[in-house]
Amino acid sequence: MRIAVFSAHTYDKDFFDEANRREPAPFDLIYQEASLSLQTVAFAQGCDAICVFVNDVVNASVLEGLHKLGVKGVFLRCAGFNNVDIDAAQKLGILVARVPAYAPEAVAEHTIALIMTLNRHTHRAYNRVREGNFMLNGLLGMTLHGKTVGIIGTGKIGLAVARILNGFGCRVLGFDPMPSTEFTAIGEMVDLDSLLARSDIVTLHCPLFEGNRHLIDRHKLGLMKPGAMLINTSRGALIDTRAVILALKSRRLGALGIDVYEEENELFFHDRSSDIIDDDVFQRLMTFPNVLVTGHQGFFTTDALREIADVTFQNLNCLANGTSCPNAVMNA
Ligand code: NAI
């Protein structure tokens, strides 16, 4: 089978080639640096399936284009599938499969890195000490032990975050329409408004879908404790970035740590260091000393990349062998 792998970076190739070498009948992998969109769909010409990542556009028009080219499967090398029109894929008979969990601890650990960095200002201390400035002004943090952290979405990643914070001695609150007993063993489930009102740190770990776009909007930001920290390693559009900027400007929001951004398609996973970035909202975020942005790297560990490659090959083999795929994404 021939597979077009979109948004392919060197590290994707390394881990996919390694997994492919273990296949009894290796796949023919065509790596495309370009991301998938209506403009690049033709790169899938002659391919049986495609493999995509978080910011590839797999809407109804793109799926129509893929269908015309004879593509039978869309394989996500990620867990979230908000970028795929699942209904359209089903109508066209295109299999969509994902990697439902790849080291949730990797994302959880990155979440903790954002919290720890923002809290103790190590991103600023690093630069300050290198310039010979050993003043402590502006580096004051809080002791995490005994603080309350609200986790929105207590699935695999949210639970992993809760376990780490539990070890720190934090009080952990959770909000999730589908609470798990694993979470209630270490944390307290509450409604969203009381989670926001009681938490010193709020962290987002739920998937994005149309119903929860801008879950954290101006109103919800107003319910948060003054000076609280907001963390998002889930999906950018869960947060209304413009409302967050206003909350930062008014000093209501104490700090923001994000690994995802609602307009990240134009920026993340590209070297834009020589370009003029014309996203004024993003550039305004960059001016705050209490904002830390990383470019969607929560998943980026060797363990997770190996798992992504292995599970993607299991999914590809389902299509190749005509067997049912346990990681297929379908709407009821
Ligand atoms: P999961 O499916 O195990 O857990 C998600 C939880 O969110 C579920 O328990 C679900 O009931 C809950 N949920 C759904 N809607 C909700 C709402 N409106 N409010 C509160 N909770 C809600 O998913 P997992 O593996 O924990 O991943 C969570 C998200 O993390 C993914 O959807 C993805 O967007 C993001 N992610 C980010 C990565 C990164 O590199 N930054 C890497 C992997 C995932």
Side-chain angles (χ1 to χ4, degrees), residues 76 79 81 86 90 94-98 325-331:
L76 290 147
F81 49 87
I86 301 296
Q90 267 174 247
I94 295 177
L95 168 69
V96 179
R98 64 179 182 136
C325 183
N327 298 322
V329 187
M330 275 179 283
N331 281 344

Side-chain angles (χ1 to χ4, degrees), residues 105-121:
E105 290 78 14
V107 186
E109 287 166 14
H110 189 71
T111 303
I112 300 299
L114 293 179
I115 293 173
M116 299 294 275
T117 306
L118 277 170
N119 180 38
R120 302 303 289 270
H121 311 278

Side-chain angles (χ1 to χ4, degrees), residues 53-54 78-82 98 100-102 104 107 110 151-159 175-179 192 204-209 211-212 215 232-235 238 259-260 296-300:
F53 197 48
V54 288
C78 54
F81 49 87
N82 52 288
R98 64 179 182 136
Y102 41 95
V107 186
H110 189 71
I151 300 181
I152 301 176
T154 58
K156 291 179 285 296
I157 296 171
L159 180 63
F175 167 71
D176 194 311
M178 309 272 282
L192 182 55
L204 286 158
H205 300 289
C206 60
L208 171 71
F209 46 85
N212 65 4
L215 177 70
N232 185 12
T233 60
S234 200
R235 284 293 179 267
L238 289 169
D259 186 45
V260 286
H296 210 136
Q297 67 172 86
F299 72 101
F300 202 54

Side-chain angles (χ1 to χ4, degrees), residues 3-4 6 20 32 36-37 63 81 101 105 115 117 119 136 143 151 182 225 253 274 289 292 317:
I3 323 292
F6 284 90
N20 206 20
Q32 302 289 351
L36 178 64
S37 65
L63 284 160
F81 49 87
E105 290 78 14
I115 293 173
T117 306
N119 180 38
L136 298 182
T143 305
I151 300 181
E182 281 165 299
K225 262 190 179 180
L253 187 62
S274 302
L292 177 59
N317 274 307

